[in-house]
């Protein structure tokens, strides 16, 4: 399979990846590196965990994905199942269609800018609905535009 690597020399993409990685680490109590974000998400496990965390922290979030393949291998059918479940959850959470992904975008790490844009939307949406200290860290993000173009 061919992986299209985003231009990581683009300052805004690098900054957005750092913001998303910091948020995921905080929310999921993990230690993901910005440089490996795409690989970390390829199995869909972290994304399913994210739905559970958002369900607990954002009152309007749909029920988190309870059944998923914790030990899914990258590019496996289980990884596709996890990511498909995440994509359906995003539809239920009313993510704008322009930000929705295909499972292949994540499984094959084809569209990291799109994945980051979707995660930034989820961060903004969940942060705007609660007043915790952690959400105020992201208050500076522009919430008027959810689609990031790279």
């Amino acid at each position: 399979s061919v992986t299209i690597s985003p231009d990581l020399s683009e300052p805004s993409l690098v900054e957005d990846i750092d913001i998303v990685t910091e948020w995921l680490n905080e929310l999921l109590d993990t230690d993901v590196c910005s440089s490996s974000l795409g690989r970390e998400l390829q199995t869909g496990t972290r994304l399913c965990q994210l739905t559970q965390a958002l369900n607990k922290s954002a009152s309007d979030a749909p029920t988190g994905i309870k059944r998923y393949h914790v030990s899914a291998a990258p590019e496996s059918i289980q990884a596709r199942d996890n990511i498909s479940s995440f994509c359906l959850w995003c539809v239920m959470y009313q993510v704008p269609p322009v930000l929705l992904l295909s499972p292949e975008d994540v499984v094959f790490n084809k569209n990291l800018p799109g994945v980051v844009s979707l995660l930034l939307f989820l961060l903004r949406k969940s942060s705007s609905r609660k007043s915790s200290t952690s959400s105020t860290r992201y208050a500076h993000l522009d919430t008027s535009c959810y689609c990031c173009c790279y």
Side-chain angles (χ1 to χ4, degrees):
S1 71
V2 176
T3 300
I4 300 171
S5 298
D7 181 7
L8 292 180
S9 64
E10 181 68 36
S12 60
L13 178 57
V14 172
E15 183 179 309
D16 289 348
I17 290 171
D18 288 343
I19 290 167
V20 165
T21 303
E22 179 183 338
W23 176 63
L24 288 173
N25 284 336
E26 179 183 306
L27 198 60
L28 302 178
D29 194 26
T30 61
D31 193 23
V32 174
C33 294
S34 294
S35 61
S36 64
L37 180 64
R39 286 189 308 277
E40 280 286 334
L41 301 177
Q42 279 183 293
T43 66
T45 301
R46 298 262 189 242
L47 296 172
C48 291
Q49 293 168 342
L50 176 63
T51 68
Q52 293 174 341
L54 289 175
N55 176 250
K56 291 177 186 172
S57 66
S59 61
D60 65 336
T63 301
I65 300 166
K66 291 184 176 28
R67 297 187 66 187
Y68 58 94
H69 306 280
V70 176
S71 57
E75 299 185 19
S76 68
I77 192 73
Q78 291 85 6
R80 288 175 193 258
D81 285 347
N82 287 348
I83 295 163
S84 293
S85 295
F86 173 74
C87 292
L88 290 172
W89 182 90
C90 287
V91 170
M92 292 187 303
Y93 197 35
Q94 300 175 349
V95 170
V98 69
L99 293 177
L100 295 175
L101 303 167
S102 73
E104 287 74 24
D105 288 337
V106 185
V107 170
F108 298 115
N109 201 13
K110 286 184 180 178
N111 184 5
L112 186 59
V115 172
V116 170
S117 292
L118 170 60
L119 293 174
L120 280 172
F121 172 82
L122 294 175
L123 182 158
R124 290 176 182 122
K125 186 171 180 174
S126 67
S127 294
S128 69
R129 290 174 169 55
K130 60 181 185 168
S131 59
S132 71
T133 306
S134 62
S135 67
T136 57
R137 178 180 305 157
Y138 306 110
H140 69 284
L141 294 173
D142 178 14
T143 57
S144 63
C145 176
Y146 296 121
C147 183
C148 302
C149 302
Y150 296 99

